Every structure is written in C-alpha cells, then in structure tokens.
Amino acid sequence: MALRSAAVAAADQWTDPDDGVRYPAGEVHGWVQRHNETVCGLSLSRSHLLRFPHVSWADVQPESGRHAEEVVEVCRRCRAGLGARRDERGWTRTNPRP
Ligand SMILES: [Zn+2]
C-alpha cells in the first residue's frame, strides 16, 4: 500500500475563511483514497467519517502539519500504521562495515 500518499478521514470539518477550503477537525484517521475504511479499519460510512482527499496525513500531524489547527486527536492506530515520525527512525539503514 502507498502509505506515504495517505489522505485523511475525520469526524468533523471546518472551512478556512482565507481559501474557502475545508479541512479536518476533531479526531483524524489515516485514509487511502478509494478505500472504504480507514487505515485502522473503521468503516467510513458506519463511523460517519468525512473524507479529505486533498489533505495529506502529514498535514494533520499536530507537531508538524500545516492544517492541524482544529485537530483534537490523531488516531494512534492509524499513526502507528502510517509510521509516525518517531517510528521512522527504525527504517534507517545500518551499514555494518568492518
Ligand atoms: Zn484510525
């Protein structure tokens, strides 16, 4: 799965008055476009989650995202599934040389 290009599904939304674009609010989940469920396995329709194909997962991370002002909570399971920044260190390649 192309997790790096994950978008966002959220419980709520708000519209930025500057550009008129809607952004996620409340609890946010990772979502891959054309899927009917979030990365952590919630059904979008059953959980009444809104889709934000124009907002990337990175943009809603409170510590670094551009559109995280109204984000209350980031789903921990989605975060784990998509690789929080902290976890990405584990990917660093170690090159054991003699
Ligand atoms: Zn989730």
Side-chain angles (χ1 to χ4, degrees):
M1 243 205 296
L3 294 180
R4 275 176 192 282
S5 61
V8 176
D12 208 351
Q13 66 177 359
W14 67 287
T15 302
D16 189 332
D18 291 336
D19 53 18
V21 177
R22 63 190 185 90
Y23 292 112
E27 185 184 309
V28 295
H29 294 266
W31 170 62
V32 178
Q33 289 195 45
R34 291 187 295 277
H35 285 230
N36 291 321
E37 57 180 34
T38 62
V39 171
C40 65
L42 287 177
S43 160
L44 291 178
S45 55
R46 220 178 305 151
S47 303
H48 303 288
L49 292 168
L50 304 157
R51 298 158 206 231
F52 298 86
H54 56 295
V55 179
S56 80
W57 176 246
D59 284 340
V60 296
Q61 302 310 302
E63 65 271 27
S64 55
R66 292 176 294 163
H67 303 305
E69 296 102 312
E70 300 295 320
V71 172
V72 176
E73 198 179 338
V74 177
C75 172
R76 286 170 59 193
R77 283 162 65 200
C78 285
R79 210 177 148 98
L82 289 166
R85 185 179 283 184
R86 192 181 48 208
D87 300 330
E88 278 176 5
R89 261 184 227 151
W91 292 91
T92 310
R93 187 165 29 166
T94 48
N95 246 341
R97 285 172 193 270

Coordinates of all heavy atoms in Angstrom, one line a residue:
M1 N 0.8 -1.2 0.0 CA 0.0 0.0 0.0 C 0.9 1.3 0.0 O 1.9 1.3 0.7 CB -0.9 0.0 1.2 CG -2.4 -0.1 0.9 SD -3.4 0.6 2.2 CE -3.1 -0.5 3.5
A2 N 0.4 2.3 -0.7 CA 1.2 3.5 -0.8 C 0.8 4.4 0.4 O 0.1 5.3 0.4 CB 0.9 4.2 -2.1
L3 N 1.4 4.0 1.6 CA 1.1 4.7 2.8 C 1.6 6.1 2.8 O 1.0 7.0 3.5 CB 1.6 4.0 4.0 CG 1.0 2.6 4.2 CD1 1.6 1.9 5.4 CD2 -0.5 2.7 4.4
R4 N 2.6 6.4 2.1 CA 3.1 7.8 2.1 C 2.2 8.8 1.5 O 2.2 9.9 1.8 CB 4.4 7.8 1.3 CG 5.6 7.4 2.1 CD 6.9 7.4 1.3 NE 7.9 6.7 2.0 CZ 8.6 7.3 3.0 NH1 8.4 8.6 3.3 NH2 9.6 6.7 3.7
S5 N 1.3 8.3 0.6 CA 0.4 9.2 0.0 C -1.0 9.2 0.7 O -2.0 9.5 0.1 CB 0.2 8.9 -1.5 OG -0.3 7.6 -1.6
A6 N -1.0 8.7 1.9 CA -2.3 8.6 2.6 C -2.9 10.0 2.8 O -2.3 11.0 3.0 CB -2.1 8.0 4.0
A7 N -4.3 10.0 2.7 CA -5.0 11.2 2.9 C -5.7 11.1 4.3 O -5.2 10.3 5.2 CB -6.1 11.4 1.8
V8 N -6.7 11.8 4.5 CA -7.3 11.9 5.9 C -8.8 11.7 5.9 O -9.5 12.1 5.0 CB -7.0 13.4 6.4 CG1 -7.6 13.6 7.8 CG2 -5.5 13.6 6.5
A9 N -9.3 11.0 6.9 CA -10.7 11.0 7.2 C -10.9 11.5 8.6 O -10.0 11.2 9.5 CB -11.2 9.5 7.1
A10 N -11.9 12.3 8.8 CA -12.1 12.9 10.2 C -13.5 13.0 10.6 O -14.4 12.9 9.8 CB -11.5 14.4 10.1
A11 N -13.7 13.1 11.9 CA -15.0 13.2 12.4 C -15.7 14.5 12.2 O -17.0 14.6 12.1 CB -15.0 12.9 13.9
D12 N -15.0 15.5 12.0 CA -15.6 16.9 11.8 C -14.8 17.6 10.8 O -13.7 17.2 10.3 CB -15.6 17.6 13.2 CG -16.7 18.6 13.3 OD1 -17.4 18.9 12.2 OD2 -16.9 19.1 14.4
Q13 N -15.3 18.8 10.4 CA -14.5 19.6 9.5 C -14.7 21.1 9.8 O -15.6 21.5 10.5 CB -15.0 19.3 8.0 CG -16.5 19.8 7.8 CD -16.9 19.5 6.4 OE1 -16.2 19.1 5.5 NE2 -18.2 19.9 6.1
W14 N -13.9 21.9 9.2 CA -14.0 23.4 9.3 C -13.6 23.9 8.0 O -12.8 23.3 7.2 CB -13.2 23.9 10.5 CG -11.7 23.8 10.3 CD1 -11.0 22.7 10.4 CD2 -10.8 24.9 10.0 NE1 -9.7 23.0 10.1 CE2 -9.5 24.3 9.9 CE3 -11.0 26.3 9.8 CZ2 -8.4 25.1 9.6 CZ3 -9.8 27.0 9.5 CH2 -8.6 26.4 9.4
T15 N -14.0 25.1 7.7 CA -13.6 25.8 6.4 C -12.7 27.0 6.7 O -13.1 27.9 7.5 CB -14.9 26.2 5.7 OG1 -15.7 25.1 5.4 CG2 -14.5 26.8 4.3
D16 N -11.6 26.9 6.1 CA -10.7 28.1 6.3 C -11.2 29.3 5.5 O -11.4 29.2 4.3 CB -9.3 27.7 5.7 CG -8.2 28.7 6.0 OD1 -8.6 29.9 6.1 OD2 -7.0 28.3 6.0
P17 N -11.5 30.4 6.2 CA -12.1 31.6 5.6 C -11.1 32.2 4.6 O -11.6 32.9 3.7 CB -12.3 32.5 6.8 CG -11.5 32.0 7.9 CD -11.2 30.6 7.7
D18 N -9.8 31.9 4.7 CA -8.9 32.5 3.8 C -9.0 31.9 2.4 O -8.9 32.6 1.4 CB -7.4 32.4 4.3 CG -7.2 33.2 5.5 OD1 -7.9 34.2 5.7 OD2 -6.3 32.8 6.3
D19 N -9.1 30.6 2.3 CA -9.1 30.0 1.0 C -10.4 29.2 0.7 O -10.6 28.7 -0.4 CB -7.9 29.1 0.8 CG -7.7 28.1 1.9 OD1 -8.7 27.8 2.6 OD2 -6.6 27.5 2.0
G20 N -11.3 29.2 1.6 CA -12.6 28.5 1.4 C -12.5 27.0 1.3 O -13.5 26.4 0.8
V21 N -11.4 26.5 1.7 CA -11.2 25.0 1.6 C -11.5 24.4 3.0 O -11.2 24.9 4.0 CB -9.8 24.7 1.2 CG1 -9.5 23.2 1.2 CG2 -9.4 25.3 -0.2
R22 N -12.2 23.2 2.9 CA -12.5 22.6 4.2 C -11.3 21.7 4.6 O -10.7 21.1 3.8 CB -13.8 21.8 4.1 CG -13.8 20.7 3.1 CD -15.1 20.1 2.8 NE -14.9 18.9 1.9 CZ -14.7 17.7 2.4 NH1 -14.7 17.4 3.7 NH2 -14.4 16.7 1.5
Y23 N -11.1 21.7 5.9 CA -10.1 20.9 6.5 C -10.6 20.0 7.6 O -11.6 20.3 8.2 CB -9.0 21.8 7.0 CG -8.2 22.6 5.9 CD1 -8.4 23.9 5.7 CD2 -7.4 21.9 5.0 CE1 -7.7 24.6 4.7 CE2 -6.8 22.5 4.0 CZ -6.9 23.9 3.8 OH -6.3 24.5 2.8
P24 N -9.9 19.0 8.0 CA -10.3 18.1 9.0 C -10.3 18.7 10.4 O -9.5 19.6 10.7 CB -9.3 16.9 9.0 CG -8.5 17.1 7.8 CD -8.6 18.5 7.4
A25 N -11.2 18.3 11.2 CA -11.3 18.7 12.6 C -11.7 17.6 13.5 O -12.2 16.5 13.0 CB -12.3 19.9 12.8
G26 N -11.4 17.7 14.8 CA -11.8 16.7 15.7 C -10.8 15.5 15.6 O -9.6 15.7 15.5
E27 N -11.3 14.3 15.6 CA -10.4 13.1 15.6 C -10.1 12.8 14.1 O -11.0 12.7 13.3 CB -11.2 12.0 16.3 CG -10.3 10.7 16.4 CD -11.1 9.6 17.0 OE1 -11.7 9.7 18.0 OE2 -11.1 8.5 16.3
V28 N -8.9 12.6 13.8 CA -8.5 12.3 12.4 C -7.9 10.9 12.3 O -7.2 10.4 13.2 CB -7.5 13.4 11.9 CG1 -8.1 14.7 11.8 CG2 -6.2 13.4 12.8
H29 N -8.2 10.3 11.2 CA -7.7 9.0 10.8 C -7.0 9.0 9.5 O -7.3 9.9 8.7 CB -8.8 8.0 10.7 CG -9.6 7.7 12.0 ND1 -9.2 6.7 12.8 CD2 -10.6 8.4 12.6 CE1 -10.0 6.7 13.9 NE2 -10.9 7.7 13.8
G30 N -6.1 8.1 9.3 CA -5.4 8.0 8.0 C -6.4 7.3 7.1 O -7.2 6.4 7.4
W31 N -6.4 7.7 5.8 CA -7.3 7.1 4.8 C -6.6 7.1 3.5 O -5.9 8.1 3.1 CB -8.6 7.9 4.7 CG -9.4 7.5 3.6 CD1 -10.0 6.3 3.4 CD2 -9.8 8.4 2.5 NE1 -10.7 6.4 2.2 CE2 -10.6 7.6 1.6 CE3 -9.5 9.7 2.2 CZ2 -11.2 8.1 0.5 CZ3 -10.1 10.2 1.0 CH2 -10.9 9.4 0.2
V32 N -6.6 5.9 2.8 CA -6.1 5.8 1.5 C -7.2 6.0 0.5 O -8.2 5.3 0.6 CB -5.3 4.5 1.3 CG1 -4.7 4.4 -0.1 CG2 -4.2 4.4 2.3
Q33 N -7.0 6.8 -0.5 CA -8.1 7.1 -1.5 C -8.7 5.9 -2.1 O -7.9 4.9 -2.4 CB -7.6 8.1 -2.5 CG -7.4 9.5 -2.0 CD -7.2 10.5 -3.1 OE1 -8.0 10.5 -4.0 NE2 -6.3 11.4 -2.9
R34 N -10.0 5.9 -2.4 CA -10.7 4.8 -3.0 C -11.0 3.7 -2.0 O -11.6 2.7 -2.4 CB -10.1 4.3 -4.3 CG -10.2 5.3 -5.4 CD -9.7 4.8 -6.7 NE -8.3 4.5 -6.6 CZ -7.3 5.3 -6.8 NH1 -7.6 6.6 -7.1 NH2 -6.1 5.0 -6.7
H35 N -10.5 3.7 -0.8 CA -10.8 2.7 0.2 C -12.1 3.1 1.0 O -12.3 4.3 1.1 CB -9.6 2.5 1.2 CG -8.5 1.8 0.6 ND1 -7.9 0.7 1.2 CD2 -7.9 2.0 -0.6 CE1 -6.9 0.3 0.4 NE2 -6.9 1.0 -0.7
N36 N -12.8 2.1 1.5 CA -14.0 2.4 2.2 C -13.8 2.4 3.7 O -14.7 2.5 4.5 CB -15.1 1.4 1.9 CG -15.6 1.6 0.4 OD1 -15.7 2.8 0.0 ND2 -15.8 0.5 -0.3
E37 N -12.5 2.3 4.1 CA -12.2 2.2 5.5 C -10.9 3.0 5.8 O -10.1 3.2 4.9 CB -12.2 0.8 6.0 CG -11.2 -0.1 5.3 CD -11.2 -1.5 5.9 OE1 -12.2 -2.0 6.3 OE2 -10.1 -2.1 5.9
T38 N -10.8 3.3 7.1 CA -9.6 4.0 7.5 C -8.4 3.0 7.6 O -8.6 1.8 7.5 CB -9.8 4.7 8.8 OG1 -10.0 3.6 9.8 CG2 -10.9 5.6 8.8
V39 N -7.2 3.5 7.8 CA -6.0 2.6 7.9 C -6.2 1.7 9.1 O -5.8 0.5 9.0 CB -4.8 3.5 8.0 CG1 -3.6 2.6 8.4 CG2 -4.5 4.3 6.7
C40 N -6.9 2.2 10.1 CA -7.1 1.3 11.3 C -8.3 0.4 11.2 O -8.6 -0.4 12.1 CB -7.2 2.2 12.6 SG -8.6 3.2 12.6
G41 N -9.0 0.5 10.1 CA -10.0 -0.5 9.8 C -11.5 0.0 10.1 O -12.4 -0.8 10.1
L42 N -11.6 1.3 10.4 CA -13.0 1.8 10.6 C -13.7 2.0 9.3 O -13.1 2.4 8.3 CB -13.0 3.1 11.4 CG -12.6 3.1 12.9 CD1 -12.5 4.5 13.4 CD2 -13.6 2.3 13.7
S43 N -15.0 1.6 9.3 CA -15.8 1.9 8.1 C -16.1 3.3 8.1 O -16.6 3.9 9.0 CB -17.1 1.0 8.2 OG -18.1 1.6 7.3
L44 N -15.9 4.0 6.9 CA -16.1 5.4 6.8 C -17.6 5.8 7.0 O -18.0 6.7 7.7 CB -15.6 5.9 5.4 CG -14.1 6.0 5.2 CD1 -13.9 6.4 3.8 CD2 -13.4 6.8 6.2
S45 N -18.4 5.0 6.4 CA -19.9 5.3 6.4 C -20.4 5.0 7.8 O -21.2 5.8 8.4 CB -20.6 4.5 5.3 OG -20.4 3.2 5.4
R46 N -20.0 3.8 8.3 CA -20.6 3.5 9.6 C -20.1 4.4 10.8 O -20.8 4.6 11.7 CB -20.2 2.0 10.0 CG -21.4 1.2 10.6 CD -21.0 -0.2 10.8 NE -20.5 -0.9 9.6 CZ -19.7 -1.9 9.6 NH1 -19.2 -2.3 10.8 NH2 -19.3 -2.5 8.5
S47 N -18.9 4.9 10.6 CA -18.4 5.7 11.7 C -18.6 7.2 11.4 O -18.2 8.1 12.1 CB -16.9 5.5 11.8 OG -16.6 4.2 12.1
H48 N -19.4 7.5 10.3 CA -19.7 8.9 9.9 C -18.4 9.7 9.8 O -18.4 10.9 10.3 CB -20.7 9.5 10.9 CG -21.9 8.7 11.0 ND1 -22.9 8.7 10.0 CD2 -22.4 7.9 11.9 CE1 -23.9 7.9 10.3 NE2 -23.6 7.4 11.5
L49 N -17.4 9.2 9.1 CA -16.2 10.0 8.9 C -16.2 10.7 7.6 O -16.7 10.1 6.6 CB -15.0 9.0 9.0 CG -14.7 8.4 10.4 CD1 -13.7 7.3 10.3 CD2 -14.3 9.5 11.4
L50 N -15.7 11.9 7.5 CA -15.7 12.7 6.3 C -14.3 12.4 5.6 O -13.3 12.3 6.3 CB -15.8 14.1 6.7 CG -17.1 14.5 7.4 CD1 -16.9 15.8 8.2 CD2 -18.3 14.6 6.5
R51 N -14.3 12.4 4.3 CA -13.1 12.2 3.6 C -12.5 13.5 3.2 O -13.2 14.5 2.7 CB -13.4 11.4 2.3 CG -14.0 10.1 2.5 CD -14.7 9.6 1.3 NE -15.7 8.7 1.6 CZ -15.9 7.5 1.0 NH1 -15.1 7.1 0.1 NH2 -16.8 6.7 1.5
F52 N -11.1 13.5 3.2 CA -10.4 14.7 2.8 C -9.3 14.3 1.8 O -8.1 14.3 2.2 CB -9.8 15.5 4.0 CG -10.9 16.0 5.0 CD1 -11.4 15.1 6.0 CD2 -11.4 17.2 4.9 CE1 -12.4 15.6 6.8 CE2 -12.4 17.7 5.7 CZ -12.9 16.9 6.7
P53 N -9.7 14.0 0.6 CA -8.6 13.6 -0.4 C -7.6 14.6 -0.7 O -6.5 14.3 -1.2 CB -9.5 13.2 -1.6 CG -10.8 13.9 -1.4 CD -11.0 14.1 0.0
H54 N -7.9 15.9 -0.4 CA -7.0 17.0 -0.7 C -6.1 17.3 0.5 O -5.2 18.2 0.4 CB -7.8 18.2 -1.1 CG -8.8 18.7 0.0 ND1 -9.9 17.9 0.3 CD2 -8.8 19.7 0.8 CE1 -10.5 18.5 1.2 NE2 -9.9 19.6 1.6
V55 N -6.2 16.6 1.6 CA -5.4 16.9 2.7 C -4.5 15.6 3.0 O -5.1 14.5 3.1 CB -6.2 17.2 4.0 CG1 -5.4 17.4 5.2 CG2 -7.1 18.4 3.7
S56 N -3.2 15.8 3.1 CA -2.4 14.6 3.4 C -2.3 14.4 4.9 O -2.5 15.2 5.7 CB -1.0 14.9 2.8 OG -0.2 15.7 3.6
W57 N -1.9 13.1 5.1 CA -1.8 12.7 6.5 C -0.7 13.5 7.2 O -0.9 13.9 8.4 CB -1.4 11.2 6.5 CG -1.1 10.6 7.8 CD1 0.1 10.1 8.2 CD2 -2.0 10.3 8.9 NE1 0.0 9.6 9.5 CE2 -1.3 9.7 9.9 CE3 -3.3 10.6 9.1 CZ2 -1.8 9.4 11.1 CZ3 -3.9 10.2 10.3 CH2 -3.2 9.6 11.3
A58 N 0.3 13.9 6.6 CA 1.4 14.7 7.2 C 0.9 16.1 7.6 O 1.3 16.6 8.6 CB 2.6 14.8 6.2
D59 N -0.1 16.6 6.9 CA -0.6 17.9 7.1 C -1.4 18.0 8.4 O -1.7 19.1 8.9 CB -1.5 18.4 6.0 CG -0.7 18.8 4.8 OD1 0.5 19.1 4.9 OD2 -1.2 18.9 3.7
V60 N -1.9 16.9 9.0 CA -2.7 17.0 10.2 C -2.0 16.5 11.4 O -2.6 16.3 12.4 CB -4.0 16.2 10.0 CG1 -4.9 16.8 8.9 CG2 -3.8 14.7 9.7
Q61 N -0.7 16.3 11.3 CA 0.1 16.0 12.5 C 0.3 17.2 13.3 O 0.9 18.2 12.8 CB 1.4 15.3 12.1 CG 1.2 14.1 11.2 CD 0.2 13.1 11.8 OE1 0.4 12.6 13.0 NE2 -0.8 12.8 11.1
P62 N -0.2 17.2 14.6 CA -0.1 18.5 15.4 C 1.3 19.1 15.5 O 1.4 20.3 15.5 CB -0.6 18.0 16.7 CG -1.5 16.8 16.4 CD -0.8 16.1 15.3
E63 N 2.3 18.3 15.5 CA 3.6 18.8 15.7 C 4.2 19.4 14.4 O 5.2 20.2 14.5 CB 4.6 17.8 16.3 CG 4.9 16.6 15.5 CD 3.9 15.4 15.6 OE1 2.7 15.7 16.0 OE2 4.2 14.3 15.4
S64 N 3.7 19.0 13.3 CA 4.4 19.5 12.1 C 3.5 19.9 10.9 O 3.9 20.4 9.9 CB 5.3 18.4 11.6 OG 4.6 17.2 11.4
G65 N 2.2 19.5 11.0 CA 1.3 19.7 9.9 C 0.8 21.1 9.7 O 0.7 21.9 10.6
R66 N 0.5 21.5 8.4 CA 0.0 22.8 8.1 C -1.5 23.0 8.4 O -1.9 24.1 8.5 CB 0.2 23.0 6.6 CG 1.6 23.1 6.1 CD 1.7 23.2 4.6 NE 1.2 22.0 3.9 CZ 0.9 21.9 2.7 NH1 0.9 23.0 1.9 NH2 0.5 20.8 2.2
H67 N -2.2 21.9 8.5 CA -3.7 22.0 8.6 C -4.1 21.3 9.9 O -5.1 20.6 9.9 CB -4.4 21.5 7.4 CG -4.0 22.1 6.1 ND1 -4.0 23.5 6.0 CD2 -3.5 21.6 5.0 CE1 -3.6 23.8 4.8 NE2 -3.2 22.7 4.2
A68 N -3.4 21.4 11.0 CA -3.7 20.7 12.2 C -4.3 21.6 13.3 O -4.6 21.1 14.4 CB -2.4 20.1 12.7
E69 N -4.7 22.8 12.9 CA -5.2 23.7 14.0 C -6.4 23.2 14.7 O -6.6 23.3 15.9 CB -5.6 25.1 13.3 CG -4.5 25.8 12.7 CD -4.5 25.7 11.2 OE1 -4.7 24.6 10.7 OE2 -4.4 26.7 10.5
E70 N -7.3 22.5 13.9 CA -8.6 22.1 14.6 C -8.5 20.6 14.9 O -9.6 20.0 15.3 CB -9.7 22.4 13.6 CG -9.9 23.8 13.3 CD -10.3 24.7 14.5 OE1 -11.1 24.2 15.3 OE2 -9.8 25.8 14.6
V71 N -7.4 20.0 14.7 CA -7.3 18.6 15.0 C -7.2 18.4 16.5 O -6.4 19.0 17.2 CB -6.1 17.9 14.4 CG1 -5.9 16.5 14.8 CG2 -6.2 18.0 12.8
V72 N -8.1 17.6 17.1 CA -8.2 17.4 18.5 C -7.4 16.1 18.9 O -6.6 16.1 19.8 CB -9.6 17.2 19.0 CG1 -9.7 16.9 20.5 CG2 -10.4 18.5 18.7
E73 N -7.5 15.1 18.0 CA -6.9 13.8 18.4 C -6.5 13.1 17.1 O -7.3 13.0 16.1 CB -7.9 13.0 19.2 CG -7.2 11.9 19.9 CD -8.1 11.0 20.7 OE1 -9.2 11.5 21.1 OE2 -7.8 9.9 21.0
V74 N -5.3 12.6 17.1 CA -4.8 11.8 16.0 C -4.9 10.3 16.4 O -4.4 9.9 17.4 CB -3.4 12.1 15.6 CG1 -2.9 11.2 14.5 CG2 -3.3 13.6 15.2
C75 N -5.6 9.5 15.6 CA -5.8 8.1 15.9 C -4.5 7.4 16.1 O -3.6 7.5 15.2 CB -6.6 7.4 14.8 SG -6.7 5.7 15.0
R76 N -4.3 6.8 17.2 CA -3.0 6.2 17.5 C -2.7 5.0 16.6 O -1.6 4.7 16.2 CB -2.9 5.8 18.9 CG -2.7 7.0 19.8 CD -2.8 6.7 21.3 NE -1.9 5.7 21.7 CZ -1.9 5.0 22.8 NH1 -2.9 5.3 23.7 NH2 -1.1 4.1 23.1
R77 N -3.8 4.3 16.3 CA -3.6 3.1 15.4 C -3.3 3.4 14.0 O -2.4 2.8 13.4 CB -4.9 2.2 15.5 CG -4.9 1.4 16.8 CD -6.3 0.9 17.1 NE -6.8 -0.1 16.1 CZ -8.0 -0.4 15.9 NH1 -9.0 0.3 16.6 NH2 -8.3 -1.3 15.1
C78 N -3.9 4.5 13.5 CA -3.5 5.0 12.2 C -2.1 5.5 12.2 O -1.3 5.3 11.2 CB -4.5 6.0 11.7 SG -6.1 5.4 11.2
R79 N -1.8 6.2 13.2 CA -0.5 6.8 13.3 C 0.6 5.7 13.3 O 1.6 5.8 12.6 CB -0.4 7.5 14.7 CG 0.5 8.7 14.7 CD 0.4 9.4 16.0 NE 1.7 10.0 16.4 CZ 1.9 11.3 16.2 NH1 1.0 12.1 15.7 NH2 3.1 11.7 16.5
A80 N 0.3 4.6 14.0 CA 1.3 3.5 14.1 C 1.3 2.8 12.7 O 2.4 2.5 12.2 CB 0.8 2.5 15.1
G81 N 0.1 2.7 12.1 CA 0.1 2.0 10.8 C 0.8 2.8 9.7 O 1.3 2.3 8.8
L82 N 0.7 4.2 9.8 CA 1.3 5.0 8.8 C 2.7 5.4 9.1 O 3.4 6.1 8.3 CB 0.4 6.2 8.5 CG -0.9 5.9 7.9 CD1 -1.9 7.1 8.0 CD2 -0.7 5.6 6.4
G83 N 3.2 5.1 10.3 CA 4.5 5.5 10.6 C 4.7 6.9 11.1 O 4.8 7.8 10.3
A84 N 4.5 7.1 12.4 CA 4.8 8.4 12.9 C 6.2 8.7 12.8 O 7.0 7.8 12.6 CB 4.4 8.4 14.4
R85 N 6.5 10.0 12.8 CA 7.9 10.4 12.6 C 8.9 9.7 13.5 O 9.9 9.2 13.1 CB 8.0 11.9 12.8 CG 9.4 12.4 12.5 CD 9.5 13.9 12.7 NE 8.8 14.6 11.6 CZ 8.8 15.9 11.5 NH1 9.4 16.6 12.4 NH2 8.2 16.5 10.5
R86 N 8.5 9.5 14.8 CA 9.3 8.9 15.8 C 9.6 7.4 15.3 O 10.7 7.0 15.5 CB 8.5 8.8 17.1 CG 9.3 8.4 18.3 CD 8.3 8.4 19.5 NE 7.1 7.7 19.2 CZ 5.9 7.9 19.7 NH1 5.8 8.8 20.6 NH2 4.9 7.2 19.4
D87 N 8.7 6.8 14.7 CA 8.9 5.4 14.3 C 9.8 5.3 13.1 O 10.3 4.2 12.8 CB 7.5 4.7 14.0 CG 6.7 4.8 15.3 OD1 7.2 4.7 16.4 OD2 5.4 4.8 15.1
E88 N 9.8 6.3 12.3 CA 10.5 6.2 11.0 C 12.0 6.0 11.2 O 12.7 5.6 10.3 CB 10.3 7.5 10.2 CG 9.0 7.4 9.4 CD 8.7 8.7 8.6 OE1 9.5 9.6 8.6 OE2 7.6 8.7 8.1
R89 N 12.5 6.4 12.4 CA 13.9 6.2 12.7 C 14.3 4.7 12.5 O 15.4 4.4 12.2 CB 14.2 6.6 14.1 CG 14.9 8.0 14.1 CD 15.3 8.4 15.5 NE 14.8 9.7 15.8 CZ 14.5 10.1 17.0 NH1 14.6 9.3 18.0 NH2 14.1 11.3 17.2
G90 N 13.3 3.8 12.8 CA 13.5 2.4 12.7 C 13.9 2.0 11.3 O 14.5 0.9 11.1
W91 N 13.6 2.9 10.3 CA 13.9 2.5 8.9 C 15.3 2.8 8.5 O 15.7 2.5 7.4 CB 12.9 3.2 8.0 CG 11.5 2.7 8.2 CD1 10.6 3.2 9.0 CD2 10.9 1.6 7.5 NE1 9.4 2.4 8.9 CE2 9.6 1.5 7.9 CE3 11.4 0.7 6.5 CZ2 8.7 0.5 7.5 CZ3 10.5 -0.3 6.0 CH2 9.2 -0.4 6.5
T92 N 16.0 3.6 9.3 CA 17.3 4.0 8.9 C 18.2 2.8 8.7 O 18.2 1.8 9.5 CB 18.0 4.8 10.1 OG1 17.1 5.8 10.4 CG2 19.3 5.4 9.6
R93 N 18.8 2.8 7.6 CA 19.6 1.6 7.2 C 21.0 1.6 7.9 O 21.7 2.6 7.9 CB 19.9 1.6 5.7 CG 20.6 0.3 5.3 CD 20.5 0.0 3.8 NE 20.5 1.2 3.0 CZ 20.8 1.1 1.7 NH1 21.0 0.0 1.2 NH2 20.7 2.2 1.0
T94 N 21.2 0.5 8.6 CA 22.5 0.4 9.2 C 23.4 -0.4 8.3 O 23.1 -1.4 7.8 CB 22.4 -0.3 10.6 OG1 21.6 -1.4 10.4 CG2 21.7 0.7 11.6
N95 N 24.6 0.2 8.1 CA 25.6 -0.4 7.2 C 26.7 -0.9 8.0 O 27.7 -0.2 8.2 CB 26.0 0.6 6.2 CG 25.6 0.3 4.8 OD1 25.3 -0.9 4.5 ND2 25.6 1.3 3.9
P96 N 26.7 -2.1 8.4 CA 27.8 -2.6 9.2 C 29.0 -2.8 8.4 O 29.0 -3.6 7.4 CB 27.3 -4.0 9.8 CG 26.1 -4.3 8.9 CD 25.6 -3.1 8.2
R97 N 30.0 -2.1 8.7 CA 31.3 -2.2 7.9 C 32.4 -2.7 8.8 O 32.4 -2.3 10.0 CB 31.7 -0.8 7.3 CG 30.8 -0.4 6.2 CD 31.1 1.0 5.8 NE 30.1 1.5 4.8 CZ 30.2 1.4 3.5 NH1 31.3 0.8 3.0 NH2 29.3 1.9 2.7
P98 N 33.3 -3.4 8.3 CA 34.4 -3.9 9.1 C 35.3 -2.8 9.6 O 35.4 -1.8 9.0 CB 35.1 -4.9 8.2 CG 34.7 -4.5 6.8 CD 33.4 -3.9 6.9
Ligands
ZN1 ZN -7.7 5.3 12.8

